[in-house]
Amino acid sequence: MINSDPVHKQQYCYLIELTGDEQGDLLAVLTPVERALGEWERVHSAKLPTWRLWTNENADTIRYTVRHIIARNALPQNDYWLIQYQGNDHGHPRMLHPQFHTR
């Protein structure tokens, strides 16, 4: 029997891909408030530094948060890709907003 229960409780998944050649660790520099936004996980199979954030927050909140994390910690990336998906598992969630490219 196949278990179809959701993997995550949150409604959205955001794929955050930093566009730089240095591997900064985003998870190490999160504040407790940023960590509480949802479930953060590193995507180890990606070529660029990439993370998933499973959350119920809207795209504007996540854009604001990621921009401030990068600026506050002087991460080597000035811009990033943010892609919003709707779904709570690792299968094929529905893409809502592709390519929020922010500088």
Side-chain angles (χ1 to χ4, degrees):
M1 184 167 164
I2 297 174
N3 182 0
S4 61
D5 293 339
V7 176
H8 299 276
K9 298 181 292 264
Q10 294 82 1
Q11 182 179 5
Y12 300 109
C13 172
Y14 293 90
L15 191 69
I16 303 159
E17 181 180 85
L18 302 182
T19 59
D21 56 359
E22 295 185 36
Q23 296 285 327
D25 188 2
L26 194 69
L27 300 184
V29 297
L30 296 176
T31 66
V33 171
E34 292 162 350
R35 196 170 292 280
L37 284 174
E39 298 176 44
W40 295 81
E41 60 183 36
R42 179 76 191 257
V43 180
H44 291 285
S45 60
K47 293 181 180 174
L48 294 173
T50 305
W51 293 266
R52 282 193 199 98
L53 170 59
W54 302 87
T55 183
N56 289 324
E57 297 293 335
N58 63 39
D60 289 335
T61 300
I62 302 307
R63 263 199 309 249
Y64 176 86
T65 301
V66 172
R67 185 167 50 241
H68 280 79
I69 292 170
I70 291 172
R72 183 182 69 234
N73 295 285
L75 292 177
Q77 290 80 10
N78 292 325
D79 55 335
Y80 60 92
W81 291 99
L82 177 67
I83 303 173
Q84 182 190 32
Y85 295 91
Q86 187 167 27
N88 53 14
D89 61 33
H90 291 262
H92 296 283
R94 185 166 59 94
M95 186 182 295
L96 296 178
H97 295 290
Q99 302 179 350
F100 282 139
H101 190 208
T102 305
R103 283 185 180 262

